[in-house]
Amino acid sequence: MRPFLAALFLAVSAFPAQAQPSHGIAMHGDLKYPAGFKHFEYVNPEAPKGGTLRQAVVGTFDTLNPHIVKGLPASGLTNVFETLLARAQDEPFSLYGLLAESVEVPEDRSSIVFRLNPKARWHDGTPVTADDVLFSYEVQRQYGTPNRRLFYAKVALAEKLDARSVRFAFLREPDGGIDREMPMLMGLLAVHQKVWWQGRTFDRTTLDPPPGSGPYRVKQVEPGRRIVYERVPDYWGRDIPARRGLYNFDTLVFDYYRDDTVALEAFKAGQADVRRELEPAKWATGYDGPALRAGKFVMEELPTGRPEYARGFILNTRRPLFRDRRVRQALGYAVDFEWINRTHYHGALRRTASFYPNSALAATGLPGPGELKVLEPFRPILPPELFTTPFELPQADGSGPYASRANQREALRLLAEAGWTVQNGRLLNAAGRPFLFEILLGDPADERPALEFARGLERLGITAKVRTVDSAQFQARLDEYDYDVVARWWSSTLSPGNEQVYYYGSHAADTPGTRNYAGIKDPAVDAIAASIASARTRPELEARVKALDRVLLWGFYMVPLFHSPVDRIARWTGVQRPAVTPVYGALAETWWRE
């Protein structure tokens, strides 16, 4: 071990607190399910096994290793690879025994011990061992996706206690504290078989299926077109509480389509069994036909309690054009988004006014006492209005498509303050250069709002070109931040943590492949995002997340689009689901064929 790591490790482990074995761990508060529980409440433990579930996927894939940066992983691989612990979908952030049957975590969360289930087996029948866990940690720390590398860099020591037990101890933060989310993140470590990877390169794409320990294994691969999984008949974990009632189909089929309209037609023709609809216009009019009228499939709207995607036109502040906050703010006044919602989405969506929409984590009104405690140290560098004015999106009356004259005047005022003026119908800077940029899309469904946005910008003298590329090119440009503006989203759970640094932190802004799409570099964002994982109580967590939400909103890093408060799911009637839908939404893993 390097000397400075050794010193830090001694600081956290010289006097380790005693820990008792537990069947799970919660980020805050107590676990919902006690030791010895039989199954999660949102499953049908008596669901029959058998049949096939077919799904239509838009895009392509070129790798069967989902835990590296390179390549586009195939859909469904989470059914092959397992983590040490399994997440409950009806709690904000709680984990229960999976590959690890028990955990030991001291009160200060400075370390965690995982005791592997003696029944845990790879698909070749050999046991899952501590060596597999340590190998998986090491290769993902070195070659994994940027978020994994970020998290695992906080591990001071990873040690094998015996053939079935491993211990991870964590570095102290600069303030002397421990990142309290680290035990949870280690519980979500995806485990690979060490023996299989010997002589292979982990960080390269592969279409040679790595063995897993999960309920399914890869049966058939047609690169970029189709992948088929078969249920493992002697799956080792079929009777553990975190798996009972799940994974009921014998076969899972994912067929890939280049176009979502074609994928919808495939569903209506019975070539796919279930479809999650993201476009309200298609939901309103696209499903009509003989099969629907004959009752062969049903359409359901299922409410959720999870934060929805914070989706919008994200402005790349790495580009000089978008470094001025006033410019970014001005672009939000360019179009009547209420008209877009009504005209293109049948009024079925809600305008997104938070980075955590549809949840109690969204900042509203003025900062409360808990938020002020978080924000006060950064008052000198934050916009003054953050403390005095509730954040609101520009108002629109839906009469569009163009923004009202008042909104256009406000946009031009902000642009003038930033040094831009309209001359002969074109917005120019002091050097006489026009305001010109490209909006990058990876999904043709985003073309409608993008084109409306571009038309609204044209009235301000701004030229915005809309460009749609295929999924592979889109991902490559996204990873390298090769865009001016991109239609993209951020997603969060009910228990945000370390990933917020990966989304919005300064270090992530300079690291290819992160989700800091906007290139945000703000000391207040860095500090608040880094503090979220160390929150000791739920109220403390919510105050920090709301404070971060408020800082991001007043930074105007995106022109927000819309989100849906419900999951829109169509399924053929042969596919059944449990009566209970968990807070995170409907799960295909809980369904079965009648």
Side-chain angles (χ1 to χ4, degrees):
M1 185 185 300
R2 288 172 288 180
F4 78 96
L5 286 181
L8 285 167
F9 171 64
L10 288 174
V12 301
S13 62
F15 301 100
Q18 294 298 312
Q20 297 299 317
S22 174
H23 66 294
I25 179 175
M27 185 64 202
H28 298 106
D30 297 326
L31 293 165
K32 174 179 178 178
Y33 296 96
F37 78 100
K38 300 300 183 184
H39 57 82
F40 293 133
E41 291 179 356
Y42 51 84
V43 307
N44 173 10
E46 305 303 324
K49 306 289 186 183
T52 298
L53 182 70
R54 300 164 299 169
Q55 298 182 63
V57 183
V58 177
T60 186
F61 70 92
D62 60 9
T63 186
L64 301 181
N65 181 359
H67 303 125
I68 58 173
V69 174
K70 296 179 182 178
L72 293 172
S75 294
L77 288 169
T78 53
N79 299 298
V80 175
F81 301 102
E82 291 188 309
T83 51
L84 291 166
L85 302 176
R87 187 166 191 159
Q89 298 296 313
D90 55 352
E91 298 176 74
F93 194 8
S94 292
L95 304 175
Y96 295 86
L98 185 54
L99 286 175
E101 65 178 351
S102 69
V103 295
E104 299 167 26
V105 183
E107 193 281 331
D108 66 357
R109 296 200 176 212
S110 60
S111 65
I112 185 168
V113 173
F114 295 98
R115 309 284 183 187
L116 295 176
N117 193 314
K119 297 180 181 179
R121 291 288 186 274
W122 297 108
H123 293 157
D124 63 8
T126 59
V128 179
T129 68
D131 290 331
D132 294 318
V133 175
L134 294 178
F135 164 78
S136 301
Y137 155 72
E138 289 291 351
V139 292
Q140 291 180 69
R141 176 175 173 144
Q142 185 175 0
Y143 302 119
T145 54
N147 60 328
R148 289 181 173 88
R149 296 201 301 268
L150 176 71
F151 304 156
Y152 300 154
K154 297 185 178 185
V155 176
L157 180 68
E159 60 178 337
K160 174 182 175 179
L161 302 181
D162 56 47
R164 293 194 299 105
S165 303
V166 295
R167 178 175 179 264
F168 296 98
F170 309 120
L171 300 174
R172 287 199 178 275
E173 301 290 311
D175 62 2
I178 291 290
D179 184 334
R180 295 181 61 81
E181 193 182 27
M182 282 306 297
M184 311 292 290
L185 297 176
M186 298 315 298
L188 294 175
L189 172 69
V191 181
H192 285 258
Q193 188 181 42
K194 178 180 179 180
V195 171
W196 189 86
W197 281 103
Q198 302 313 295
R200 293 179 168 91
T201 304
F202 190 83
D203 67 335
R204 292 182 183 175
T205 60
T206 179
L207 291 174
D208 187 9
S213 61
Y216 292 89
R217 58 186 166 216
V218 176
K219 179 181 180 181
Q220 177 188 349
V221 178
E222 297 178 36
R225 298 182 59 190
R226 168 184 257 221
I227 185 165
V228 179
Y229 302 88
E230 62 180 355
R231 190 157 57 85
V232 178
D234 57 348
Y235 169 52
W236 73 270
R238 60 188 178 276
D239 292 324
I240 66 173
R243 285 293 185 254
R244 191 170 290 127
L246 295 164
Y247 308 109
N248 302 308
F249 297 96
D250 283 343
T251 307
L252 304 177
V253 178
F254 295 87
D255 286 313
Y256 279 75
Y257 295 84
R258 297 290 183 181
D259 183 87
D260 187 64
T261 300
V262 178
L264 172 57
E265 293 304 314
F267 170 80
K268 291 164 59 178
Q271 296 172 21
D273 298 304
V274 62
R275 175 179 166 90
R276 188 184 298 266
E277 184 55 71
L278 301 179
E279 296 186 49
K282 288 181 179 176
W283 187 255
T285 62
Y287 286 77
D288 190 28
L292 178 63
R293 290 193 289 269
K296 293 182 178 180
F297 66 81
V298 296
M299 301 170 66
E300 300 176 306
E301 294 188 355
L302 305 175
T304 80
R306 65 173 184 266
E308 291 300 329
Y309 288 172
R311 186 177 182 85
F313 297 119
I314 300 173
L315 313 176
N316 188 356
T317 62
R318 302 173 186 86
R319 302 284 204 256
L321 192 61
F322 300 115
R323 287 179 185 161
D324 192 309
R325 189 175 74 98
R326 293 166 297 187
V327 169
R328 302 196 298 270
Q329 182 179 2
L331 300 189
Y333 286 92
V335 69
D336 187 333
F337 281 98
E338 291 304 317
W339 180 88
I340 292 176
N341 186 21
R342 178 170 55 81
T343 304
H344 294 294
Y345 303 122
H346 295 257
L349 301 181
R350 295 179 185 173
R351 186 85 192 278
T352 298
S354 169
F355 282 72
Y356 312 92
N358 196 52
S359 77
L361 299 171
T364 57
L366 293 174
E371 290 178 72
L372 286 173
K373 183 179 178 181
V374 177
L375 294 166
E376 199 62 45
F378 308 102
R379 184 182 284 268
I381 63 172
L382 292 174
E385 56 266 39
L386 181 150
F387 294 92
T388 62
T389 307
F391 181 86
E392 292 183 355
L393 296 172
Q395 296 301 304
D397 59 12
S399 62
Y402 301 111
S404 66
R405 292 188 180 274
N407 281 354
Q408 291 183 47
R409 285 195 297 270
E410 180 63 12
L412 291 172
R413 182 190 70 79
L414 290 164
L415 290 165
E417 286 185 4
W420 294 87
T421 57
V422 177
Q423 300 178 33
N424 298 321
R426 301 173 72 203
L427 192 68
L428 307 177
N429 63 11
R433 293 174 180 167
F435 201 122
L436 170 68
F437 65 88
E438 179 184 85
I439 303 173
L440 179 68
L441 310 179
D443 185 347
D446 290 326
E447 290 177 355
R448 286 173 295 179
L451 290 170
E452 298 292 359
F453 184 42
R455 278 192 279 268
L457 291 168
E458 189 175 7
R459 289 207 162 193
L460 302 177
I462 297 172
T463 300
K465 299 179 179 178
V466 177
R467 184 180 182 190
T468 305
V469 298
D470 62 47
S471 57
Q473 185 179 354
F474 182 77
Q475 189 62 50
R477 291 186 61 177
L478 201 67
D479 288 343
E480 295 298 327
Y481 314 119
D482 181 20
Y483 48 81
D484 301 320
V485 175
V486 64
R488 196 58 175 164
W489 43 264
W490 287 286
S491 63
S492 289
T493 69
L494 288 167
S495 184
N498 278 280
E499 78 285 348
Q500 303 301 295
V501 177
Y502 174 66
Y503 290 177
Y504 313 118
S506 295
H507 178 71
D510 296 323
T511 304
T514 75
R515 295 185 189 173
N516 190 343
Y517 305 124
I520 300 168
K521 289 187 174 182
D522 183 323
V525 170
D526 289 344
I528 298 172
S531 75
I532 289 173
S534 63
R536 301 181 70 90
T537 66
R538 184 71 190 179
E540 193 175 61
L541 173 81
E542 291 187 2
R544 295 181 186 187
V545 175
K546 288 180 179 179
L548 177 61
D549 190 26
R550 209 174 288 275
V551 175
L552 292 171
L553 288 169
W554 284 103
F556 299 103
Y557 295 108
M558 74 170 172
V559 178
L561 287 171
F562 310 95
H563 66 274
S564 173
V566 297
D567 284 336
R568 296 180 174 89
I569 294 176
R571 58 181 172 86
W572 284 72
T573 53
V575 175
Q576 300 295 310
R577 63 173 182 83
V580 176
T581 300
V583 67
Y584 279 107
L587 293 170
E589 295 90 338
T590 67
W591 298 1
W592 66 91
R593 184 166 293 283
E594 194 65 51

